[in-house]
């Protein structure tokens, strides 16, 4: 239960969401569940910017279409103006613009990859499977946060045939189809030796809810939600670490089809 002292010391979390809409709702639900609350007043304060109009992140990583950076920055600035003291972005691929958002807004970001990797059992970190968009994989959004890990990632053909169609299916409300596709992609990673699998696109936990696999599954959406609760309720919590000293993220796959959210 949250005490009156805790409530007065709470900090305001800004959620830069809508990418995609159902995934953000899933994040907010998990944040509420993660909060140690006995009544409405015990819950943490949030300001949410729901931005489904942000241009396609996956295509932009490869230089296709309109860059989402200006719109992400404007949304972050609006959250700051509304009083947010820290940002949470329940979209993995959007973290490709992490540094630009932090620099322009002046707000720290609770990095979804840091939250997820902290939830990986240390004895299973030798072979981490990653189900993610082509942009998240190519931008090394997770790999750069834990470069010492052995990463098991989908083959390009599997991304094209299973992962991206599964993510698009969630965005268009075809959850059963998404579950089948993303479940198959997960089994392929496990078959190649993944000891634990990160569901590193916020649509993936929506599709795989209720699935059972023979290795642990880490939900970055849930991990980020818990990180937000800790940040809001613990004023002494350390500031989110920023990207380690490393070259700016560059996509690994230079040639990639444009991600069309309407293409099945």
């Amino acid at each position: 239960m949250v005490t009156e002292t805790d409530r007065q010391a709470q900090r305001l979390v800004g959620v830069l969401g809508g990418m995609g809409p159902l995934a953000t709702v899933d994040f907010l639900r998990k944040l509420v569940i993660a909060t140690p609350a006995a009544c409405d007043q015990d819950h943490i304060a949030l300001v949410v910017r729901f931005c489904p109009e942000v241009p396609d992140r996956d295509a932009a990583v490869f230089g296709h279409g309109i860059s989402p950076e200006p719109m992400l920055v404007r949304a972050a600035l609006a959250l700051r103006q509304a009083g947010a003291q820290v940002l949470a972005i329940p979209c993995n691929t959007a973290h490709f613009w992490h540094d630009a958002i932090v620099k322009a807004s002046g707000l720290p970001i609770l990095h979804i990859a840091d939250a997820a990797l902290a939830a990986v059992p240390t004895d299973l970190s030798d072979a981490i499977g990653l189900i993610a968009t082509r942009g998240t994989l190519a931008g090394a959004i997770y790999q750069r946060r834990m470069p010492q890990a052995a990463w098991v990632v989908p083959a390009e053909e599997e991304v094209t045939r299973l992962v991206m169609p599964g993510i698009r299916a969630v965005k268009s409300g075809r959850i059963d189809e998404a579950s089948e596709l993303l479940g198959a992609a997960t089994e392929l990673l496990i078959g190649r030796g993944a000891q634990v699998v990160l569901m590193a696109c916020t649509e993936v936990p929506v599709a795989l809810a209720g699935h059972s696999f023979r290795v642990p599954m880490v939900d970055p959406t849930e991990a980020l939600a818990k990180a937000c609760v800790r940040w809001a309720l613990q004023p002494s919590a350390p500031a989110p670490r920023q990207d380690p000293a490393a070259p700016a993220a560059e996509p690994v796959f230079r040639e990639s089809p444009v991600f069309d959210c309407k293409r099945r």
Side-chain angles (χ1 to χ4, degrees):
M1 181 175 177
V2 179
T3 67
E4 184 60 31
T5 300
D6 292 335
R7 190 175 296 114
Q8 291 175 0
Q10 279 186 18
R11 296 178 288 184
L12 184 61
V13 176
V15 179
L16 205 173
M19 303 169 284
L22 186 56
T24 297
V25 172
D26 182 52
F27 166 76
L28 293 172
R29 182 182 67 84
K30 288 170 177 172
L31 189 152
V32 169
I33 291 171
T35 304
C39 61
D40 290 351
Q41 293 73 26
D42 285 347
H43 285 274
I44 67 173
L46 302 172
V47 55
V48 181
R49 186 81 170 185
F50 204 78
C51 303
E53 71 275 14
V54 172
D56 186 272
R57 282 73 60 198
D58 200 67
V61 168
F62 299 95
H64 300 307
I66 301 170
S67 171
E69 182 180 320
M71 193 170 290
L72 290 170
V73 166
R74 285 197 298 272
L77 289 170
L79 288 167
R80 178 174 180 167
Q81 187 174 15
Q85 296 162 283
V86 71
L87 295 177
I89 307 175
C91 171
N92 288 268
T93 312
H95 284 72
F96 187 79
W97 293 274
H98 170 279
D99 290 358
I101 298 168
V102 169
K103 182 178 180 180
S105 70
L107 290 175
I109 294 174
L110 293 167
H111 200 295
I112 194 169
D114 289 343
L117 290 168
V120 173
T122 55
D123 60 330
L124 300 180
S125 61
D126 288 340
I128 304 176
L130 199 58
I131 296 289
T133 67
R134 184 177 280 108
T136 294
L137 294 170
I141 289 169
Y142 277 76
Q143 297 95 314
R144 294 202 311 139
R145 309 303 281 195
M146 189 181 282
Q148 72 275 20
W151 293 95
V152 183
V153 301
E156 175 66 6
E157 180 273 334
E158 294 162 3
V159 173
T160 300
R161 177 172 57 90
L162 297 172
V163 178
M164 298 310 297
I167 292 168
R168 288 193 291 270
V170 173
K171 291 179 181 291
S172 60
R174 307 188 322 273
I175 306 302
D176 289 345
E177 179 184 343
S179 178
E180 182 177 347
L181 292 166
L182 294 169
T186 301
E187 290 290 358
L188 287 171
L189 293 187
I190 295 171
R192 289 206 292 275
Q195 298 176 321
V196 60
V197 175
L198 298 180
M199 298 180 282
C201 170
T202 48
E203 273 74 32
V204 177
V206 174
L208 296 184
H211 263 257
S212 178
F213 297 96
R214 62 184 183 274
V215 303
M217 302 291 289
V218 173
D219 180 355
T221 304
E222 182 178 27
L224 179 61
K226 290 178 177 179
C228 289
V229 173
R230 287 192 298 270
W231 173 261
L233 296 182
Q234 298 177 17
S236 60
R241 82 176 178 96
Q242 304 309 311
D243 274 339
E250 291 287 346
V252 175
F253 307 120
R254 290 296 181 180
E255 298 298 329
S256 172
V258 176
F259 175 39
D260 179 356
C261 69
K262 298 181 175 62
R263 177 169 54 81
R264 298 189 180 186

